[in-house]
Amino acid sequence: MIYLDHAATSWPKPEPVQEAMLRYMRDVGVTPGRSGHRLANEAERIRLDAREAVAELFGVSDPLRVLFTSGGTMALNLVLFGLLGPGAHVVTTGIEHNAVMRPLRALAARGVTISVVPCRADGTLDAAAVVEQLRGETRLVAVNHASNVCGTVLPVREIGAITHERGIPLLVDAAQTGGAWPVDMQADNIDLLAFAGHKGLLGPGGTGGLVLGDDFDVARLPPLVYGGTGSRSEHEEQPEFLPDKYEAGTPNMVGLAGLGAGVRYVLERGVAQIRAHEAALTGRLIAGLRGIPGVRVVGTQDARRQTAAVSFTRAGRSCSAVAHTLDEEYGVLCRPGLHCAPQAHRTLGTFPDGTVRLSAGPRTTPAEIAQAISAVAQVARVE
Amino acid sequence: MFEFAVILVHSTSHAIQAERVLGRAGLAVKLIPTPRHLSSDCGSAVRIAAGDRAAVEQSLRAAQVPIDRIELLDG
């Protein structure tokens, strides 16, 4: 089996991730923040390990500014519903995932105005195009760091330089880049970063969160979810301090144990090394696919400017049929369709038919890429 | 002469962070239940040696660990 669906969920997880989750279940098993006994304290240490690892990965100095949620979607909802109300204006891009577009469409029905900055047909965007959309009532700029469809990376640093100048917070959806592309919130001018735990961070599903930049004023952002935190139990109002303000309810501790180990694995191997590995594989994959008659690769077709998500179409063939044959006959696992990103597919000219997406991961081998190319060549040829 | 002081915090997240930061600084710490006579929002507190108080305060400030206050501990 050749697993090329890392842009959806990375698999298999590194052994330390599996071990950390097993160890938590076997030896700790309880919820932090409530009781003060030794197991509760140990659970809190595991959660702090995960916060410290994520803070180090994204370049923030205070681990308590790493907030855990059920995933990237919840983190994006927290920011979008927290910062945008009737009369507000938000700027986003033509390459977004539905994790951003659906909350924004729901907010539009409540009186929020949305400007979608068009991207070029390869998904690229100039920061200057964002500037043109900014208005006096713009409360947020929300940008996908990299397309989950074609991997195109957007110029967040340049966009952030402009939003900083105007005092508008920049929210970056780093679902595709966390652990796979260097991100430094300070240098990249990112105020709010939503991350998914189950992709490049190599943790399990059901993990993710929001990182608050060192200079972001938390008084601006109300919680999305209210409830018990184990702290200030005598009050019926939500605490104002971090991280409890945004972490009501019982956390997914077995998930966070795995997430912490996953991010630690990424840090030890190094994002630069992972990036170099995936860029090499992506370059081979793009070149191989481009050599197959009838196959069209979408996006920049340049491994230096994109993540490991590579999408293609085969004229006259449905992407789901191609993906099904790749799975059934060649053991190549990938994802066909619209990838929860109709906006991005419109930009790429692949709506509504979609694409077949192959996405390598940190432990994919060149041999697997060669086999996948050969499988696509076979499938593309057969009528 | 007081032997110990106690760091009162708002949340166990802060207690564990204080424990870690101070441990890395080579200071002796122990997590304890918050003494009943000291009001605090959190059930856990961090006990330190009373003589370490200045070094503790400096370490916590440098690492941005939010605390409520530090009290000397009787007995």
Side-chain angles (χ1 to χ4, degrees):
Chain A
M1 189 170 75
I2 299 172
Y3 185 81
L4 292 177
D5 201 15
H6 290 268
T9 299
S10 56
W11 186 86
K13 308 300 180 187
E15 287 70 21
V17 173
Q18 302 171 38
E19 285 159 15
M21 295 176 77
L22 180 62
R23 181 185 159 260
Y24 169 80
M25 287 301 284
R26 191 187 52 214
D27 300 337
V28 184
V30 306
T31 301
R34 277 68 177 168
S35 316
H37 53 65
R38 71 186 73 182
L39 289 180
N41 289 337
E42 188 55 23
E44 192 70 84
R45 290 184 191 105
I46 291 169
R47 185 160 64 165
L48 180 57
D49 289 341
R51 281 194 220 281
E52 287 186 335
V54 173
E56 184 179 340
L57 180 69
F58 293 123
V60 291
S61 60
D62 181 359
L64 298 183
R65 293 178 84 84
V66 174
L67 313 172
F68 292 123
T69 64
S70 65
T73 299
M74 180 72 92
L76 291 164
N77 272 263
L78 162 58
V79 175
L80 297 172
F81 281 90
L83 293 183
L84 301 172
H89 172 245
V90 57
V91 177
T92 191
T93 82
I95 205 86
E96 299 303 313
H97 187 277
N98 268 346
V100 165
M101 290 316 299
R102 285 182 172 171
L104 288 183
R105 295 302 176 205
L107 282 161
R110 299 180 186 187
V112 173
T113 311
I114 305 166
S115 294
V116 180
V117 184
C119 298
R120 298 185 191 91
D122 62 2
T124 56
L125 172 77
D126 289 334
V130 174
V131 185
E132 291 169 16
Q133 302 291 337
L134 299 177
R135 307 176 190 167
E137 64 273 23
T138 305
R139 293 287 167 269
L140 181 71
V141 173
V143 172
N144 200 348
H145 194 185
S147 164
N148 66 306
V149 177
C150 62
T152 302
V153 174
L154 295 194
V156 292
R157 183 175 297 193
E158 291 74 17
I159 294 170
I162 298 155
T163 54
H164 261 203
E165 211 170 88
R166 305 279 189 101
I168 301 165
L170 173 65
L171 166 65
V172 169
D173 174 359
Q176 291 297 320
T177 50
W181 192 276
V183 179
D184 181 317
M185 288 181 68
Q186 199 78 36
D188 291 335
N189 302 310
I190 300 169
D191 299 290
L192 299 155
L193 180 139
F195 64 94
H198 63 295
K199 303 177 193 281
L201 303 191
L202 307 178
T207 61
L210 180 70
V211 188
L212 307 168
D214 286 332
D215 299 325
F216 181 79
D217 177 10
V218 297
R220 299 172 77 167
L221 183 66
L224 181 67
V225 176
Y226 296 78
T229 56
S231 53
R232 283 217 171 147
S233 293
E234 69 278 24
H235 295 290
E236 293 188 349
E237 288 77 32
Q238 190 79 6
E240 285 293 322
F241 51 80
L242 295 175
D244 300 34
K245 179 178 179 181
Y246 303 106
E247 289 188 350
T250 305
N252 171 14
M253 271 309 302
V254 66
L256 294 179
L259 175 63
V263 178
R264 195 50 68 189
Y265 175 94
V266 168
L267 290 167
E268 281 166 14
R269 187 160 155 192
V271 174
Q273 201 276 334
I274 291 171
R275 169 68 200 134
H277 174 78
E278 292 187 357
L281 296 178
T282 303
R284 283 169 186 252
L285 182 57
I286 291 170
L289 292 174
R290 287 181 62 172
I292 301 170
V295 165
R296 182 175 79 91
V297 179
V298 302
T300 64
Q301 306 187 31
D302 180 351
R304 293 165 303 178
R305 298 162 68 198
Q306 69 163 84
T307 65
V310 175
S311 259
F312 70 91
T313 58
R314 162 70 168 87
R317 300 284 297 278
S318 91
C319 57
S320 53
V322 170
H324 185 68
T325 309
L326 284 172
D327 179 7
E328 291 280 308
E329 294 182 24
Y330 300 90
V332 175
L333 279 57
C334 60
R335 179 166 174 200
L338 292 172
H339 311 95
C340 298
Q343 184 73 244
H345 277 282
R346 283 194 185 92
T347 292
L348 300 166
T350 48
F351 185 87
D353 297 333
T355 57
V356 179
R357 183 186 68 188
L358 302 171
S359 49
R363 296 199 287 183
T364 304
T365 65
E368 288 177 313
I369 294 296
Q371 285 175 63
I373 293 165
S374 149
V376 173
Q378 299 285 333
V379 175
R381 197 180 55 201
V382 179
E383 282 303 327
Chain B
M1 196 66 185
F2 294 96
E3 188 182 355
F4 294 113
V6 62
I7 306 167
L8 301 172
V9 293
H10 296 298
S11 159
T12 59
S13 298
H14 307 164
I16 298 296
Q17 199 193 9
E19 175 196 51
R20 180 160 300 178
V21 164
L22 298 176
R24 281 178 186 155
L27 297 160
V29 291
K30 185 172 170 56
L31 286 172
I32 60 166
T34 304
R36 289 190 61 130
H37 66 285
L38 299 172
S39 79
S40 164
D41 298 324
C42 177
S44 292
V46 184
R47 194 186 72 182
I48 58 171
D52 286 343
R53 183 170 178 161
V56 162
E57 285 176 336
Q58 194 185 358
S59 288
L60 295 179
R61 225 180 358 255
Q64 309 172 65
V65 181
I67 67 165
D68 178 4
R69 63 189 193 276
I70 298 179
E71 296 267 357
L72 292 169
L73 199 54
D74 249 329

